Amino acid sequence: MTETSSMAPAQAEPGSETLAVRASGVDRAFGGVQALRDASFAARPGEIHALAGENGAGKSTLIKVLCGLIKADKGTVEIFGTEVSRVVEPAARRRMGVATAFQELSLLPDLTVAENLLLQDPPRGRLGLVQRRRLAPAAEEILNRYGVDDIDPRATAADLSVAQRQVVELVRVLAGEPRVVILDEPTAALADRQVDWLAGHMRRLRDAGSCVIFTSHRWREIESLADRVTVFRNGTHVATRDTLSEAEAVTLMSGRSFAGAYPQITTEPTDDNALSVTNLHSGRLAGVDFDLRRGEILGVGGLAGQGQRDLFLSLFGAQRVRRGTIAVDGKAVTIRSPKDAIRAGVGIAYVPEDRKAEGLFLPLSIRDNIAAATLSRRATAGFVNRGKERAVVKSIVDQLNIGAGRSTNRAADTLSGGNQQKVVMARWLLTEARILLLFDVTRGVDAATKHDIYELVGTLAAQGRAILYYSSETEEIAHLCHRVLVLREGRVAAELAGPVGDAERIVAASIKEGQDA
Amino acid sequence: MRDALRRVSLGYLVLAATAVAYIVVYTSRLGRFPTSFDYLSILNTTLPLVFVAIGQSLVVLTGGIDLSVGGMVSVCVAVTATTVSSSITWLFVVLAIGTACGALNGLIVAYGRIAPILTTLATLSIFTGLGLRVLPVPGGSIPQEVRLVLTNPATPTGLIWLGLAVAGWLVLRRTRFGMRVYAIGSDEASARAVGVPAAAVKLKVYALSGLCSALAAVFYVSTTTSGDANAGNPFILTSIASVVVGGVAFSGGRGSALGAVAGAVALTLVIDILFFSGIDPLYQSLFQGLFLVVAVLLGTVAALAARRRRQA
Amino acid sequence: MSSRRVLYALGGTVAVLLVGAILHPGFASWSSLRVMLVVASFTGFVAAGQMLVVLVGGIDLSIPWVLNGAAIVLTTSSLGQTSRAPLAILLALGVGALVGLGNGMGVAWLGVPAVVMTLGMNGVMQGLTLGLSKGLTCASCGSYAPEPLRGLFDGALPAQLFLWAGVGLFMTVLLTLTTFGRRVYAVGVNPRAAFLSGVGVRGVTVALYTLSGVFAALAGIALVAYGGQPSLGLGDPYLFESIAAVVVGGVSILGGRGHYLGVIAGSLTLVAVTTFLQAQRVPEYGRLMIYGLVILAILFAYGREKAHD
């Protein structure tokens, strides 16, 4: 066994014990994006091992390689000393005692909870036939064994709430009493009570000798749960430690020191209202009122799933508005589709969180991607003015420094996550929208691009644009915004003057009045 | 699964409605109720489509489509019509041939990673050619004893075979394999992630579709008493129509082969209804087409209404 | 990426022609090529429409009877008279457009799966065509296509080929130079992102199905002009042929990728394979089997889906 240089001292004695999981020298690329680069990782039986890193650091890809969902381009993976690099079949890993709860790939939506739980080992009677009548009771028994009593095993998975789905997914993984448990962001959708529940089971499995690997973006959880922490950055192993302070971890994860991560807000909003929303009902929104001024960065906070997404989508015309009025520059507007929102008279742009699903046309060129929302503005009689298009795209590409000056004919999927996000930003900047709806735009981008985006948001505000800003990282909202609206159950629960500075204040406002979820 | 039940029940509703319409039209036309002979002839003419529809629904449940059913039925019809007279054991060879053809599709789809619609488009041509090779001009025969067992025009043996087909599906639905079919159709990536051997399951599904086509072919020759190497062609579109009318979701994961059986019977009944209403048979496909679209629209509307209700 | 597939498709055509010319002297001569080009042009027309709907992840199964219906509309409304030809052509194309519009509305607004909508529409058109023409026994059903149309295929360089070139030009300009074309690819690659970029996804979809209907009708007109009189089942071979030409031409069945130049190559390849097999006196069963195998081989060469990620 060769020792890779990136291995930290804590793992320097791999021969002295059998490792539960070991990956070394793993490369993996998606399109042109190198998700893992000579990545190494090792975890022992009987420990809870946290895998930390920024979004896009390669954690999820490593997990997919470990559990046999995707193949490494290079490198080796071993489970209890058995080399499994060539086996790309989760079923085979499962037989070796490796069970994984995924962040995105979750339950089968059309199947019932019981079918999901018992898919691999349903109750069978004579002739080996599945006893469908026993499915639900058997599932109920499993759920109860893990202390879950508020989920109907007969319910279709698609009908469950996100948190319930996550709980079922976790029970499915735990129920096999696996020797290696891999949990990718298991707590992201869970309430505190459920997090405690999960922590209890993770500890129990650890004490029984299993190897528990998990990722989390909440440092508090890593600190309280993990026996060891491995930090990833830019697709590679940075360090593995027994103890790690938050400040140290942030430095390791981002490659820069904690202080000065957010730029100062230097400009003040004007007094002109760019957007006025009155009594807005849409999706989960149950009557939202607020004004957004020119030059203002207005943060939208609150726990996940309190209607933030509904707010952004309905303002952009991508979701039906049940009731309420939207006024732009004091004039009431009707926005039935994104087309209406983009129209010059309205001038609203929405930059989505999930750039792969909602933003990019991955196989199309960078230029096509950037030009997509403003095609008719450079067209004569339906024909694209290619010269003009090239010039416009080039200037915005230079301005945002996208893709290191290489050709814009390249497909968007050859770009890194950060550059891809800039491509989407560029598309919307070309619309010259005066109101920008930025929904979690820094998710999954590297630290440098994050910083660029913060600066860009500041510049846009200084130019007098009105910005509605949501981020799943409350820290960002606390530092970047002039004002913060906290949403709870589809209403504005609190309004905080910014910069808030301390993210805990936003969190506190989100869960006031004895809310536990 | 509640949703699936709703979809299936739509298939049954469509069947019930067409059955009522059939009886009404028949009675008002002939002044008497349909006789058991009428029912039996409907049953016997429907059986081939019933089998193909079961196979097609399995494939559609995994999110695929099988255009080659036409070719597989043709090959098997050709082999049945030319060989079974010499020895009954050829019947089993026919079933093996169908299964092998289906397995070839499965191999290409699951391991060759070629889209089902394209794979089966190409193999359709291959299988049709094979059928022509075996039986260049329509002809052949089938022994009377076989006919009496399979599609006896006087006694309802067809009912037994229909019962067996339904029972076969019910058994399949109660195997782990059956659960996996739904899992793959619901979300193949997730199914793989939780350990479902997707490729192996798909291989079996396509092989089963081939077996169903072979069964259909045997019953086809039994009712028509001779073979034709182009016999399979109409089954491509009618089997898809049966599956659709039966409420199987085209995206996979939802529905049941029983719905497709109901759909197949309903489609056959529609033809009889048109016949007894005195509508020019030339307009037959017009009504079949409308029937197909309307049935699906009803399903969509029902699903939408259900979703509205759930959201409210 | 997709332009590389066009090159593969062209390479495939050249390879088939070369093999043919080596094994069968005179196979690639102009007179033989001309025949192949003319036969391929019919496939090229229907494949143009099929390609457009495939680009947005759809499919058009109504092609056979739209084609057949349009062909019969042309002859019965022109009655073989030159003076009535323009109106008859418009009428035939109009029928195609109308049916395509219906398909598009069903798919885009009512949410009916494309397979179901177009399959149903095929049945509707078949029923209407057969019923209204009384199984092609109506008084005017014996009419021939007007003389000028039949002249499309005369001469050393038949006008039909110019018509095909025109279709090629139209398709290429439409898809690469216009905002509409850009929107088509955007919808094909990622409908959700296209919608969020202000693209009228439904409008684009309806327009594409309508165009597909028009192209099927155009093929019907050309075929009846070629054969003189319409027949029943005229369009049947063109359903799968159009899908095969589109795929062999390097268009992704999942949508968003492909060029009409590739589809031209695909149509030619398919016709060249068939012609070659006929020239070699391969019986029909062999032709069907080899045809299927060739399509499979091409699919294995560049039609495979990505490995699991």
Side-chain angles (χ1 to χ4, degrees):
Chain A
M1 281 197 271
T2 54
E3 189 61 52
T4 51
S5 56
S6 59
M7 283 281 201
Q11 285 166 278
E13 71 295 28
S16 63
E17 60 189 322
T18 314
L19 288 168
V21 176
R22 181 188 153 90
S24 53
V26 174
D27 281 6
R28 171 71 207 207
F30 294 100
V33 184
Q34 195 71 36
L36 290 178
R37 192 177 285 122
D38 193 21
S40 304
F41 177 79
R44 308 170 185 139
E47 74 167 347
I48 297 180
H49 197 127
L51 187 54
E54 295 190 324
N55 293 319
K59 292 170 294 181
S60 289
T61 310
L62 177 70
I63 284 174
K64 286 179 186 162
V65 169
L66 291 181
C67 72
L69 197 58
I70 59 176
K71 200 174 155 197
D73 298 333
K74 230 179 71 193
T76 56
V77 178
E78 289 167 25
I79 305 291
F80 293 108
T82 311
E83 154 116 44
V84 291
S85 319
R86 310 209 143 268
V87 186
V88 187
E89 183 71 71
R93 290 284 204 287
R94 184 89 207 197
R95 284 193 291 275
M96 300 182 77
V98 181
T100 313
F102 299 94
Q103 193 182 349
E104 299 158 28
L105 300 157
S106 182
L107 300 184
L108 297 157
D110 298 312
L111 270 53
T112 64
V113 170
E115 287 170 323
N116 266 293
L117 284 175
L118 296 162
L119 185 60
Q120 289 301 70
D121 191 18
R124 280 183 270 194
R126 280 167 296 130
L127 307 167
L129 289 186
V130 177
Q131 298 181 307
R132 297 184 59 78
R133 226 167 280 150
R134 271 181 55 203
L135 273 174
E140 188 142 41
E141 194 263 318
I142 294 174
L143 287 167
N144 289 341
R145 199 191 318 148
Y146 286 89
V148 179
D149 49 14
D150 57 346
I151 294 174
D152 178 7
R154 288 170 192 82
T156 305
D159 292 343
L160 299 181
S161 75
V162 182
Q164 285 177 320
R165 251 179 276 168
Q166 183 68 21
V167 168
V168 175
E169 168 88 351
L170 289 167
V171 169
R172 181 183 65 73
V173 169
L174 298 172
E177 293 293 310
R179 293 195 297 164
V180 177
V181 194
I182 308 176
L183 310 170
D184 194 5
E185 290 283 353
T187 60
L190 298 185
D192 289 348
R193 186 171 47 85
Q194 294 162 322
V195 173
D196 294 340
W197 162 83
L198 174 64
H201 283 292
M202 286 166 68
R203 293 202 178 95
R204 189 180 54 72
L205 279 167
R206 184 238 349 243
D207 297 341
S210 294
C211 167
V212 182
I213 299 165
F214 80 109
T215 68
S216 172
H217 64 266
R218 298 180 192 166
W219 184 256
R220 209 157 17 105
E221 287 167 9
I222 293 182
E223 216 163 33
S224 69
L225 269 172
D227 300 316
R228 288 199 302 162
V229 184
T230 290
V231 177
F232 261 61
R233 185 173 72 227
N234 291 336
T236 197
H237 177 276
V238 179
T240 298
R241 304 274 173 82
D242 289 339
T243 51
L244 196 60
S245 75
E246 179 168 13
E248 251 183 307
V250 171
T251 310
L252 285 172
M253 287 193 287
S254 65
R256 66 206 156 107
S257 63
F258 192 49
Y262 299 98
Q264 289 284 315
I265 310 176
T266 50
T267 58
E268 281 301 309
T270 65
D271 291 331
D272 306 340
N273 275 344
L275 180 73
S276 304
V277 173
T278 323
N279 196 27
L280 187 69
H281 288 71
S282 177
R284 281 174 163 238
L285 296 182
V288 166
D289 303 82
F290 69 90
D291 292 322
L292 170 62
R293 286 173 290 167
R294 287 214 194 127
E296 183 178 35
I297 307 171
L298 177 60
V300 178
L303 298 170
Q306 300 300 305
Q308 292 94 337
R309 202 176 145 76
D310 296 319
L311 175 63
F312 280 69
L313 287 179
S314 58
L315 288 177
F316 191 57
Q319 182 173 303
R320 206 172 65 93
V321 172
R322 284 198 305 275
R323 209 176 337 144
T325 53
I326 300 169
V328 173
D329 296 333
K331 271 177 289 184
V333 289
T334 316
I335 306 171
R336 285 213 187 80
S337 69
K339 210 171 172 178
D340 291 347
I342 296 165
R343 223 176 37 216
V346 181
I348 300 179
Y350 164 73
V351 185
E353 90 202 277
D354 187 346
R355 54 179 176 272
K356 287 208 170 112
E358 302 204 309
L360 290 167
F361 308 106
L362 284 172
L364 300 187
S365 73
I366 296 169
R367 190 166 62 237
D368 282 344
N369 270 282
I370 292 178
T374 48
L375 286 172
S376 32
R377 297 190 193 179
R378 290 176 302 274
T380 330
F383 283 86
V384 178
N385 183 334
R386 284 155 80 96
K388 210 192 233 173
E389 181 177 280
R390 228 172 259 134
V392 168
V393 168
K394 174 151 183 12
S395 87
I396 194 95
V397 161
D398 290 345
Q399 188 191 325
L400 297 187
N401 187 25
I402 298 171
R406 285 194 282 163
S407 164
T408 54
N409 283 328
R410 284 184 308 145
D413 59 11
T414 61
L415 292 173
S416 70
N419 275 315
Q420 288 182 346
Q421 189 64 344
K422 284 187 185 173
V423 165
V424 180
M425 295 283 282
R427 176 192 304 161
W428 292 106
L429 292 183
L430 284 189
T431 65
E432 293 176 334
R434 286 157 304 155
I435 300 164
L436 296 170
L437 312 174
L438 307 184
F439 193 87
D440 218 359
V441 289
T442 54
R443 178 180 260 195
V445 304
D446 56 281
T449 309
K450 257 185 199 169
H451 196 77
D452 288 354
I453 290 175
Y454 300 150
E455 299 263 308
L456 179 64
V457 169
T459 313
L460 292 169
Q463 289 168 359
R465 307 213 203 191
I467 296 165
L468 197 64
Y469 194 93
Y470 168 79
S471 171
S472 54
E473 287 178 37
T474 312
E475 282 283 338
E476 273 185 12
I477 301 176
H479 286 91
L480 288 177
C481 300
H482 292 111
R483 195 155 56 100
V484 177
L485 303 175
V486 177
L487 289 194
R488 194 167 64 221
E489 292 178 347
R491 291 169 195 276
V492 178
E495 187 182 318
L496 308 173
V500 177
D502 183 2
E504 286 302 320
R505 280 182 57 208
I506 298 176
V507 175
S510 310
I511 56 176
K512 238 188 285 178
E513 294 166 24
Q515 298 277 323
D516 83 333
Chain B
M1 213 81 295
R2 254 178 303 141
D3 207 278
L5 272 176
R6 213 164 17 232
R7 280 171 166 275
V8 171
S9 63
L10 185 91
Y12 295 147
L13 278 182
V14 170
L15 175 58
T18 44
V20 169
Y22 169 76
I23 292 173
V24 167
V25 170
Y26 184 101
T27 316
S28 60
R29 190 81 182 169
L30 300 183
R32 59 177 170 84
F33 282 106
T35 60
S36 59
F37 178 81
D38 292 306
Y39 294 126
L40 201 55
S41 97
I42 290 172
L43 177 66
N44 286 342
T45 47
T46 318
L47 270 178
L49 180 57
V50 164
F51 282 108
V52 183
I54 291 176
Q56 187 71 270
S57 65
L58 266 168
V59 173
V60 172
L61 276 174
T62 64
I65 192 165
D66 191 346
L67 301 179
S68 75
V69 288
M72 295 192 291
V73 170
S74 293
V75 177
C76 295
V77 162
V79 177
T80 308
T82 46
T83 59
V84 174
S85 309
S86 57
S87 162
I88 302 290
T89 48
W90 274 98
L91 277 178
F92 298 97
V93 177
V94 168
L95 299 187
I97 291 173
T99 313
C101 288
L104 177 68
N105 283 330
L107 275 176
I108 300 172
V109 168
Y111 297 97
R113 298 198 313 272
I114 291 174
I117 190 168
L118 303 180
T119 302
T120 55
L121 180 66
T123 55
L124 168 66
S125 187
I126 298 175
F127 299 152
T128 309
L130 213 55
L132 267 179
R133 172 77 184 79
V134 176
L135 188 67
V137 287
S141 62
I142 191 158
Q144 184 66 16
E145 311 85 78
V146 176
R147 292 195 66 207
L148 289 178
V149 174
L150 295 182
T151 55
N152 193 320
T155 53
T157 52
L159 219 49
I160 297 170
W161 300 111
L162 180 67
L164 282 178
V166 169
W169 161 256
L170 290 176
V171 168
L172 194 70
R173 184 75 186 89
R174 277 160 184 72
T175 58
R176 194 165 65 157
F177 168 77
M179 287 177 77
R180 287 173 163 175
V181 169
Y182 281 85
I184 290 173
S186 188
D187 185 340
E188 187 171 339
S190 295
R192 252 176 53 77
V194 301
V196 173
V201 172
K202 282 202 277 186
L203 171 61
K204 286 184 205 156
V205 162
Y206 283 88
L208 274 173
S209 175
L211 176 64
C212 287
S213 289
L215 285 166
V218 170
F219 280 91
Y220 178 90
V221 178
S222 175
T223 34
T224 58
T225 70
S226 76
D228 176 352
N230 287 313
N233 261 329
F235 287 101
I236 306 170
L237 301 186
T238 49
S239 68
I240 294 172
S242 306
V243 164
V244 167
V245 172
V248 180
F250 244 86
S251 48
R254 278 173 294 161
S256 150
L258 294 188
V261 171
V265 178
L267 277 178
T268 314
L269 278 177
V270 167
I271 296 173
D272 284 8
I273 292 170
L274 294 173
F275 175 75
F276 286 116
S277 353
I279 290 172
D280 189 338
L282 289 172
Y283 284 103
Q284 189 177 304
S285 4
L286 166 65
F287 289 97
Q288 281 184 305
L290 286 176
F291 180 73
L292 178 62
V293 174
V294 170
V296 171
L297 268 180
L298 283 178
T300 317
V301 171
L304 264 180
R307 202 183 309 152
R308 284 267 162 78
R309 222 178 309 132
R310 215 180 317 165
Q311 274 174 358
Chain C
M1 187 66 205
S2 58
S3 34
R4 199 188 312 156
R5 283 168 161 224
V6 171
L7 288 182
Y8 288 151
L10 285 168
T13 315
V14 172
V16 171
L17 289 175
L18 269 180
V19 171
I22 292 166
L23 295 177
H24 199 95
F27 182 73
S29 70
W30 173 243
S31 60
S32 148
L33 264 180
R34 189 178 56 204
V35 175
M36 281 192 260
L37 279 167
V38 165
V39 174
S41 69
F42 306 127
T43 306
F45 288 177
V46 284
Q50 190 70 271
M51 173 199 176
L52 289 176
V53 298
V54 166
L55 274 182
V56 292
I59 196 156
D60 189 349
L61 304 181
S62 70
I63 282 174
W65 283 94
V66 173
L67 187 160
N68 212 332
I72 292 172
V73 164
L74 180 89
T75 53
T76 51
S77 62
S78 72
L79 302 170
Q81 296 165 18
T82 305
S83 59
R84 297 174 71 116
L87 190 72
I89 292 172
L90 277 182
L91 208 58
L93 292 177
V95 166
L98 204 65
V99 177
L101 185 72
N103 281 329
M105 302 287 265
V107 171
W109 293 92
L110 300 177
V112 181
V115 171
V116 179
M117 189 65 219
T118 57
L119 184 62
M121 198 57 105
N122 190 51
V124 168
M125 283 308 290
Q126 181 180 1
L128 284 178
T129 307
L130 289 175
L132 294 177
S133 72
K134 303 198 171 44
L136 209 57
T137 58
C138 63
S140 57
C141 284
S143 306
Y144 283 82
E147 201 48 54
L149 278 176
R150 303 176 63 186
L152 276 176
F153 302 92
D154 296 341
L157 202 58
Q160 166 75 2
L161 295 187
F162 288 102
L163 189 59
W164 193 15
V167 167
L169 191 66
F170 170 80
M171 291 287 288
T172 308
V173 168
L174 182 75
L175 289 176
T176 57
L177 298 183
T178 67
T179 54
F180 179 78
R182 296 290 184 82
R183 295 193 172 112
V184 169
Y185 285 104
V187 172
V189 167
N190 189 340
R192 175 76 181 161
F195 169 69
L196 290 175
S197 297
V199 175
V201 177
R202 286 171 167 169
V204 169
T205 307
V206 171
L208 292 176
Y209 278 92
T210 308
L211 277 173
S212 179
V214 171
F215 277 119
L218 186 65
I221 295 171
L223 272 168
V224 78
Y226 187 58
Q229 270 182 308
S231 59
L232 293 178
L234 186 67
D236 287 352
Y238 289 97
L239 173 55
F240 292 145
E241 181 100 352
S242 68
I243 301 174
V246 161
V247 172
V248 171
V251 178
S252 163
I253 198 79
L254 304 172
R257 267 182 271 188
H259 294 283
Y260 188 64
L261 191 58
V263 175
I264 291 179
S267 311
L268 256 178
T269 305
L270 295 179
V271 171
V273 168
T274 313
T275 312
F276 173 71
L277 295 174
Q278 275 165 344
Q280 292 296 102
R281 301 191 193 289
V282 175
E284 193 190 353
Y285 76 86
R287 291 207 300 272
L288 282 168
M289 293 177 70
I290 295 172
Y291 187 83
L293 287 171
V294 168
I295 294 178
L296 265 188
I298 289 169
L299 287 172
F300 270 103
Y302 55 81
R304 300 179 79 186
E305 290 165 16
K306 271 195 216 155
H308 311 288
D309 272 339

